[in-house]
Amino acid sequence: MTLGDIDFPTPREGDDCRIVREILDLVGDKWTLYIIVTLKDGPVRFNELRRKIDGISQRMLTINLRGLERNGLVKRTLFPTIPPRVDYELTSVGRTLLAPVMALVTWANTNQENIQDARVRYDAS
């Protein structure tokens, strides 16, 4: 299969490829995938998100959540308690990402041994 064989959507009047690239960059970001999967079962508090996503710093989680919120994929709810409580959850648009993201996760899990074997063969040559 070549790129010429793929049936890409026809751009609509006024579409900007830059915007599509920015969305794909956001969705394809390493931490975004983890955040989307972690929020799949409903609202999660900030610190719980941080504990569930191994290796993410507070700063990176904040930056990624703000980007997801700005793009309408995540909703932030502030509860006026002491201390303040903040929950994050997927919006209806964000939930539409679950199927493709989970398909990618499933693909990665299914092919991880093949990919590791390929890496070993490549590195040995």
Side-chain angles (χ1 to χ4, degrees):
M1 177 180 275
T2 66
L3 282 178
D5 297 328
I6 299 173
D7 186 22
F8 288 104
T10 306
R12 294 175 294 198
E13 184 68 32
D15 275 0
D16 186 346
C17 290
R18 180 182 50 83
I19 294 170
V20 172
R21 187 183 71 240
E22 288 173 1
I23 293 169
L24 292 175
D25 286 346
L26 171 73
V27 173
D29 177 81
K30 168 186 174 179
W31 297 119
T32 295
L33 295 176
Y34 284 112
I35 292 168
I36 297 295
V37 170
T38 304
L39 293 175
K40 72 180 173 43
D41 294 325
V44 179
R45 294 173 82 168
F46 181 88
N47 284 326
E48 186 180 352
L49 263 174
R50 201 168 116 206
R51 280 192 302 274
K52 288 183 173 185
I53 303 172
D54 189 36
I56 194 167
S57 68
Q58 180 173 336
R59 180 176 183 277
M60 285 309 299
L61 181 56
T62 299
I63 289 168
N64 278 269
L65 286 168
R66 285 181 184 162
L68 291 167
E69 185 181 8
R70 178 176 181 256
N71 286 281
L73 304 176
V74 167
K75 176 184 171 190
R76 177 182 185 267
T77 304
L78 174 64
F79 296 93
T81 59
I82 298 175
R85 176 179 148 197
V86 180
D87 283 0
Y88 292 90
E89 64 185 308
L90 295 174
T91 63
S92 57
V93 174
R95 293 196 74 70
T96 65
L97 268 176
L98 283 174
V101 165
M102 293 310 294
L104 185 58
V105 168
T106 300
W107 176 87
N109 282 334
T110 301
N111 290 287
Q112 64 183 330
E113 287 182 31
N114 293 332
I115 291 170
Q116 185 59 31
D117 291 347
R119 289 175 180 172
V120 168
R121 284 192 308 275
Y122 181 88
D123 292 346
S125 63

